[in-house]
Amino acid sequence: MKFRNFKMVDYVVYGRGCFNQLDEILAPKRVQAQPMIFLLDHHFENNEALKSRIPLRGNDEIIIADVTYEPKTTYVDEIATLLKDKYGQVSGVIAIGGGSTMDLAKAVAIMMTNEGLAHEYQGYDLVKNKAVYKVGIPTISGTGAEVSRTCVLTGPTKKLGMNSDFTPFDQIVLDPELIKGVPKNQNFYTGMDCYIHCVESLDGTFLNTFSQSYGEKALAMCQDVYLNKDIWDENSDEQLMMASYAGGMSIAYSQVGVAHAVSYGLSYLLGTKHGIGNCIVFNHLQEYYPQGVDEFKRMVDKHAIEIPQGVCAQLSDAQFDTMIDVSLGMKLLWENALGTNWEQKMNRDILRKLFEKL
Ligand code: NAD
Ligand code: ZN
């Protein structure tokens, strides 16, 4: 048996207000006159209070990350080319935002030191050179993108991350103050990404004690936030931020499962965002995760969240086939969920019926 030896984030600072330490964290990482580039989630574009706290020095620049759509490889190339043309090289790329902004920043940092186009690196261990220094600062919690070894991108032929040892951040800044006041539905969809990571990891065949330890803690925190508390309770922010981190650590050594495999098909075809897509799918996975789905429905009811229905109602056979192809391509996810003989348990017909329910 060969055990995976995976690269993790190098430095972590955690605490309410720790964003204020960013200047001193970045100072030793500055290379001559090369700027630090801050990729800022477009939600904060006019938030002068936050922008004034970003420690700009020399020719540092804030670039507004348009996260209307989840990051595309073409958008990564556009930003990396702009930075190379303007500065030659940069000292680092700092993401301030959600999973989309963090993934975008990881990919841009990689493309600053690797030749060609971003889509050429979608896959496992294809990145050749160490990226420029990169920092992740989440402003919404759940995806675990702050700790993961990938950055999910939509390319010309697939939705797949640059999964490599060069992908994790060098530094993350976990400041619960930054996620305060995320609108209720968005908070729930992204928070449920974490909850579903935990259910899929804990129920999966790849589970080991490393994954279980993180998964159980993250699950318990999600349950506390969404079953016992108000979403906007200050303590919920603290818990969600750490649940996202621990959930990400859990799947680092295991995998996600059925909800993710199916929701990837949905988002590839329809552009459905990751968090809400997972909720749309998980809502119908009683057969695979009975206890988790039951609990999920109680959380949905408690917070009066709207989970869209009928999203596949108007689709053609060819469109169903595209979703089924994308979904069945996620072999590791199916193997984790259903075991090594998963192909005997999951096929195009079963999947088609599942997609028709969504
Ligand atoms: P997101 O980054 O797409 O942001 C969702 C919305 O929340 C956006 O409109 C954004 O502007 C807004 N927002 C962000 N911070 C806010 C704040 N403090 N207040 C109010 N609004 C705020 O959402 P997400 O769910 O965090 O990320 C989804 C992305 O993460 C997808 O692209 C998905 O593929 C990716 N993902 C990556 C990994 C990984 O391991 N790399 C894992 C899971 C998901
Ligand atoms: Zn996820």
Side-chain angles (χ1 to χ4, degrees), residues 29 85 98 134 179 190-191 196-197 217 222 250 258 343 349:
K29 303 295 179 186
D85 289 351
K134 49 183 150 28
I179 69 170
T190 301
I196 295 168
H197 289 162
K217 185 64 194 173
C222 290
S250 180
V258 181
E343 277 160 307
D349 287 345

Side-chain angles (χ1 to χ4, degrees), residues 50-351:
L50 180 70
K51 281 165 77 179
S52 69
R53 293 172 63 205
I54 295 176
L56 297 176
R57 306 269 164 220
N59 52 352
D60 286 0
E61 193 181 331
I62 297 176
I63 294 181
I64 300 300
D66 180 353
V67 295
T68 313
Y69 304 103
E70 293 187 344
K72 295 186 170 70
T73 52
T74 47
Y75 192 31
V76 173
D77 293 328
E78 188 188 311
I79 298 175
T81 304
L82 180 138
L83 293 176
K84 285 178 194 170
D85 289 351
K86 196 163 172 189
Y87 302 110
Q89 190 50 286
V90 302
S91 288
V93 181
I94 297 108
I96 306 173
S100 297
T101 308
M102 288 192 278
D103 280 359
L104 184 66
K106 289 188 204 181
V108 168
I110 286 170
M111 292 315 296
M112 291 308 292
T113 56
N114 284 275
E115 285 180 359
L117 296 171
H119 72 85
E120 295 165 41
Y121 299 99
Q122 283 183 284
Y124 289 83
D125 301 306
L126 302 176
V127 179
K128 294 185 182 65
N129 305 317
K130 189 178 187 312
V132 297
Y133 177 71
K134 49 183 150 28
V135 181
I137 309 180
T139 62
I140 177 170
S141 286
T143 65
E146 62 276 25
V147 286
S148 80
R149 180 189 195 268
T150 192
C151 50
V152 184
L153 302 172
T154 304
T157 58
K158 53 194 166 200
K159 181 163 185 181
L160 187 62
M162 296 173 172
N163 203 312
S164 86
D165 278 353
F166 300 123
T167 311
F169 285 115
D170 298 290
Q171 166 86 53
I172 55 175
V173 176
L174 303 180
D175 182 346
E177 214 169 73
L178 297 177
I179 69 170
K180 188 183 167 76
V182 174
K184 187 178 79 168
N185 279 315
Q186 185 63 57
N187 172 305
F188 189 84
Y189 299 143
T190 301
M192 280 303 114
D193 189 23
C194 178
Y195 177 78
I196 295 168
H197 289 162
C198 297
V199 171
E200 292 185 318
S201 174
L202 292 168
D203 194 65
T205 60
F206 294 175
L207 189 70
N208 62 14
T209 308
F210 182 102
S211 294
Q212 188 179 1
S213 319
Y214 284 108
E216 285 176 352
K217 185 64 194 173
L219 186 77
M221 287 194 282
C222 290
Q223 287 165 332
D224 194 33
V225 168
Y226 293 108
L227 290 172
N228 304 333
K229 289 208 172 83
D230 185 67
I231 284 183
W232 284 312
D233 188 308
E234 272 205 354
N235 188 241
S236 295
D237 293 339
E238 312 264 355
Q239 284 182 300
L240 269 183
M241 187 154 260
M242 285 320 298
S244 176
Y245 176 94
M249 289 298 287
S250 180
I251 47 175
Y253 224 130
S254 59
Q255 249 306 346
V256 284
V258 181
H260 277 75
V262 176
S263 100
Y264 267 107
L266 207 60
S267 73
Y268 185 79
L269 184 78
L270 303 176
T272 314
K273 291 192 156 199
H274 187 78
I276 193 169
N278 282 346
C279 289
I280 293 171
V281 177
F282 198 67
N283 207 18
H284 295 278
L285 293 186
Q286 200 85 33
E287 192 183 328
Y288 300 95
Y289 306 109
Q291 211 183 324
V293 174
D294 207 50
E295 194 165 71
F296 167 80
K297 290 188 175 185
R298 278 193 279 133
M299 295 173 179
V300 169
D301 286 347
K302 174 168 161 60
H303 298 287
I305 304 292
E306 226 176 285
I307 306 292
Q309 306 268 356
V311 294
C312 296
Q314 309 296 329
L315 299 184
S316 66
D317 286 345
Q319 287 176 310
F320 276 112
D321 279 340
T322 302
M323 292 194 295
I324 293 168
D325 289 340
V326 171
S327 178
L328 286 179
M330 315 298 293
K331 294 185 191 317
L332 279 176
L333 281 62
W334 290 112
E335 187 182 334
N336 178 47
L338 305 176
T340 45
N341 61 343
W342 66 269
E343 277 160 307
Q344 287 157 25
K345 299 180 185 162
M346 180 48 63
N347 57 42
R348 302 187 75 86
D349 287 345
I350 302 176
L351 211 42

